[in-house]
Amino acid sequence: MTGKSEKMKARLPRGFVDRSADDIRAVDEMCAKIRAVYERYGFEPVETPLIEYTDALGKFLPDQDRPNEGVFSFQDDDEQWLSLRYDLTAPLARYVAENFERLPKPYRSYRAGWVFRNEKPGPGRFRQFMQFDADTVGTPGVAADAEMAMMMADVMEALGLNGQYVIRVNSRKVLDGVLEAIGLGGEENAGRRLTVLRAIDKADKFPREEVNKLLGPGRWDGGKKGEGDFTKGAGLSQEQIDKLHALMLQSGNAGILVDEARASEAELSAGPFPGSTQYLSNRQLCKDMAEAAEENGMEQSGIDELGTIAALVDAAGYGPDRIRIDGSVVRGLEYYTGPVYEAELLAEIPNEKGEIVRFGSVGGGGRYDGLVSRFRGEPVPATGFSIGVSRLVTALKNLGKLEKRSATGPVIVTVMDRDRKADYMRLTKILRDGLNPVDENGRPLGPPIPVEMYLGNPKNFGNQLKYADRRGSPCVVIQGGDEREKGEVQIKDLVVGARLAQNIADHEQYKESRPGQITVPQSDLVVEVQKILDAQRAERA
């Protein structure tokens, strides 16, 4: 026996990340811009808990025999299965159904929050991540879907991504019609259909031959048998795969071009696409899709809906450079029933390995008319989209659209005499109130300026200055016994002091000159600190 207690090893679970103050502020800054767009469209906030009954999360999730497959689940005292939410859409459906009579219809809401996936983590793939959703419940027409696409475009513009994104729109009815045409209709093929959809959804990540493996026999992550994990394929024949690709090529990315004389005003304002002097027309694309479609009512219905969306966004002035009909958009979840859309970044951005790649999707969604209906037993149409917050923040930082901006560090009131802490606390209170004025209703008149009294061991004054430097403090307040008797305080500008100290030869010279340090009457404390803060702010600008 050594008598020493065994230390617990500090370790972060795989698939989870800690967030620093800079990361949190970057997310807050981005979300504030997104929230402003949502509220401009008339959406209001709502919040649902992180935990729901497992069966309420939807049939697209695992059944009760495998409650931990894909989701994190546990049983309560009544042996009911509960799960951490998989996304924000299924909990919203439960909330709307439970409060259906008192909510206005259509019900327009937005919410941000953490979601959880019990899946194998990997580079850029986490078990906990944040989403920011907006949904309209109670509107059957595709005007709501067109509005969602327009709002997604406006969000991208608000984040400074002009010309670096496109909102791609398709319909699950078109996809379901094609799947039915290749023999995958009916409830008995539900599992294979979902596998096909998830394979097609990876078309922007994998080359065509890799997607074909997922549609056919399956795919090894390492590229060869036995290398990495194996993903079971949908088992389609080559003929079925070729028919699917025929649909995928009917896309805005492939391009249906019309000349200037046939372009609408929105298409003209979009300007020529790179490498072309012509204009891509969403309405022309829908017309070509209709001519190529099989004799399938569901597929034709989807194409008609896409035509309506194309006309609506065109009338609102959104050209195909911003919102584009694209037959390759799938979305992997099973609950989508109509139009689906995806926000794709067109910029090339370094990945985790430093390789320059096209960033791809940062959010998406679609119509899900069946989720609320599961609880109500009557049709309740709904549509919405979700932004992947962490992924979008990473893209914005890499593009220089969202700088890492630390908030102003706190003004530090140092402690020279541990027996006079009440005096230092009074100085701290004077500064807090003076630097953070409020109106007659108690509302702040400006951004907060933090002020704190040093609460560590005051014995070594140098450690207090090191603490202030580590916190990014703009200045510190110093009052010893001599200053107190004279009714004075010293203020040390840490930014100016650091700059001046570079030209000082030795410690004795530093002590004599005290760079960046001034002595002022205590009554002028707030005014003088504010002058220092204003000067530093002007210098940064």
Side-chain angles (χ1 to χ4, degrees):
M1 294 286 291
T2 63
K4 292 184 178 179
S5 60
E6 187 176 340
K7 290 190 296 184
M8 176 72 71
K9 182 180 180 181
R11 61 201 191 279
L12 181 70
R14 289 195 316 126
F16 297 87
V17 294
D18 296 317
R19 297 196 303 154
S20 69
D22 282 351
D23 293 332
I24 293 169
R25 291 186 183 111
V27 168
D28 287 347
E29 179 185 338
M30 186 189 80
C31 287
K33 294 177 181 178
I34 297 172
R35 186 178 296 109
V37 175
Y38 289 174
E39 296 200 345
R40 198 166 75 232
Y41 274 71
F43 289 72
E44 62 180 17
V46 69
E47 188 173 287
T48 59
L50 276 69
I51 294 173
E52 296 277 348
Y53 283 114
T54 302
D55 60 3
L57 291 180
K59 65 180 181 178
F60 60 93
L61 288 178
D63 56 31
Q64 293 286 359
D65 295 330
R66 301 178 303 144
N68 271 313
E69 185 73 23
V71 293
F72 290 102
S73 300
F74 59 94
Q75 283 182 294
D76 64 9
D77 294 341
D78 297 328
E79 297 187 352
Q80 294 282 318
W81 278 105
L82 302 170
S83 295
L84 289 174
R85 62 192 181 195
Y86 186 90
D87 66 6
L88 300 179
T89 307
L92 176 73
R94 188 270 310 157
Y95 171 81
V96 171
E98 199 168 3
N99 300 277
F100 196 78
E101 301 305 329
R102 69 175 185 83
L103 292 175
K105 265 77 72 181
Y107 176 57
R108 301 156 73 85
S109 71
Y110 69 83
R111 72 222 68 87
W114 297 105
V115 298
F116 304 85
R117 306 283 170 91
N118 187 6
E119 300 171 347
K120 182 181 177 180
R125 185 178 178 183
F126 301 104
R127 287 171 165 166
Q128 175 185 337
F129 52 94
M130 184 180 291
Q131 293 182 333
F132 202 162
D133 288 18
D135 295 78
T136 298
V137 181
T139 299
V142 294
D145 302 285
E147 182 184 65
M148 284 292 169
M150 291 187 287
M151 190 161 71
M152 288 177 78
D154 287 355
V155 164
M156 297 296 111
E157 299 279 335
L159 296 174
L161 292 167
N162 315 53
Q164 296 178 297
Y165 74 92
V166 65
I167 310 302
R168 302 188 297 137
V169 183
N170 194 19
S171 174
R172 283 292 278 267
K173 291 182 180 179
V174 176
L175 293 166
D176 289 343
V178 172
L179 291 174
E180 185 175 303
I182 64 173
L184 291 185
E187 190 63 31
E188 68 276 11
N189 288 308
R192 291 182 73 194
R193 283 199 302 274
L194 187 56
T195 302
V196 169
L197 293 173
R198 288 176 174 167
I200 297 172
D201 198 28
K202 291 180 170 55
D204 63 338
K205 303 178 182 69
F206 296 158
R208 178 166 173 167
E209 58 270 20
E210 296 301 313
V211 174
N212 285 354
K213 292 176 184 177
L214 293 172
L215 292 171
R219 177 181 180 273
W220 291 93
D221 286 347
K224 297 180 181 179
K225 186 175 181 179
E227 293 184 359
D229 292 333
F230 179 74
T231 301
K232 186 178 179 181
L236 299 187
S237 67
Q238 189 59 51
E239 182 182 0
Q240 290 172 312
I241 293 173
D242 290 342
K243 285 187 176 181
L244 278 174
H245 278 297
L247 168 70
M248 296 304 101
L249 292 174
Q250 289 286 340
S251 70
N253 286 336
I256 304 297
L257 301 174
V258 298
D259 61 30
E260 188 170 344
R262 296 174 60 191
S264 70
E265 184 176 339
E267 290 161 355
L268 286 171
S269 66
F273 278 70
S276 170
T277 57
Q278 297 175 301
Y279 297 84
L280 181 144
S281 166
N282 282 325
R283 289 182 291 180
Q284 181 67 38
L285 173 59
C286 291
K287 180 181 178 182
D288 283 23
M289 288 177 73
E291 292 176 355
E294 301 276 349
E295 291 294 328
N296 181 293
M298 183 182 297
E299 184 178 353
Q300 193 61 58
S301 173
I303 293 171
D304 291 344
E305 289 181 347
L306 291 176
T308 301
I309 291 173
L312 290 170
V313 300
D314 186 88
Y318 293 79
D321 59 325
R322 299 178 67 189
I323 300 175
R324 195 177 309 171
I325 303 299
D326 188 331
S328 66
V329 178
V330 174
R331 307 300 300 165
L333 293 175
E334 188 180 4
Y335 56 57
Y336 291 123
T337 59
V340 288
Y341 18 85
E342 197 161 77
E344 180 185 357
L345 293 191
L346 305 176
E348 293 185 339
I349 304 173
N351 63 12
E352 295 89 348
K353 299 178 182 179
E355 302 165 336
I356 303 299
V357 297
R358 186 158 165 166
F359 202 83
S361 174
V362 292
R367 178 161 289 277
Y368 54 95
D369 287 348
L371 275 188
V372 183
S373 304
R374 294 173 60 240
F375 300 97
R376 296 286 302 171
E378 61 179 325
V380 183
T383 189
F385 74 87
S386 176
I387 291 172
V389 171
S390 301
R391 183 169 173 80
L392 184 52
V393 162
T394 298
L396 292 174
K397 285 180 180 177
N398 290 349
L399 285 169
K401 303 291 185 181
L402 194 67
E403 301 295 333
K404 276 194 173 183
R405 296 182 187 139
S406 296
T408 301
V411 175
I412 305 291
V413 177
T414 60
V415 176
M416 303 295 290
D417 184 349
R418 70 174 68 218
D419 296 327
R420 303 298 296 260
K421 285 188 177 179
D423 293 326
Y424 298 117
M425 189 62 79
R426 184 165 53 252
L427 284 180
T428 304
K429 173 65 172 170
I430 290 170
L431 271 173
R432 270 196 199 121
D433 292 348
L435 295 175
N436 295 282
V438 297
D439 63 17
E440 63 275 11
N441 296 313
R443 291 186 294 252
L445 294 174
I449 299 174
V451 182
E452 66 176 79
M453 183 180 86
Y454 181 73
L455 295 177
N457 187 345
K459 183 177 181 180
N460 188 324
F461 183 69
N463 286 342
Q464 297 191 50
L465 293 182
K466 288 179 182 178
Y467 172 79
D469 184 60
R470 181 168 289 184
R471 292 296 308 278
S473 175
C475 62
V476 297
V477 176
I478 305 166
Q479 188 183 62
D482 293 342
E483 288 87 12
R484 188 179 301 107
E485 287 183 9
K486 297 176 183 178
E488 296 176 339
V489 292
Q490 293 184 34
I491 306 172
K492 183 175 181 62
D493 184 329
L494 296 181
V495 175
V496 169
R499 186 163 59 242
L500 295 176
Q502 294 176 354
N503 301 318
I504 295 178
D506 54 45
H507 184 63
E508 289 301 319
Q509 185 182 354
Y510 181 89
K511 288 174 64 178
E512 291 176 8
S513 63
R514 296 182 183 274
Q517 191 162 313
I518 59 174
T519 300
V520 301
Q522 183 175 313
S523 58
D524 293 341
L525 174 61
V526 173
V527 172
E528 295 299 329
V529 169
Q530 187 66 64
K531 286 181 182 178
I532 290 174
L533 297 178
D534 290 343
Q536 291 182 8
R537 188 179 300 113
E539 187 173 332
R540 288 195 302 270

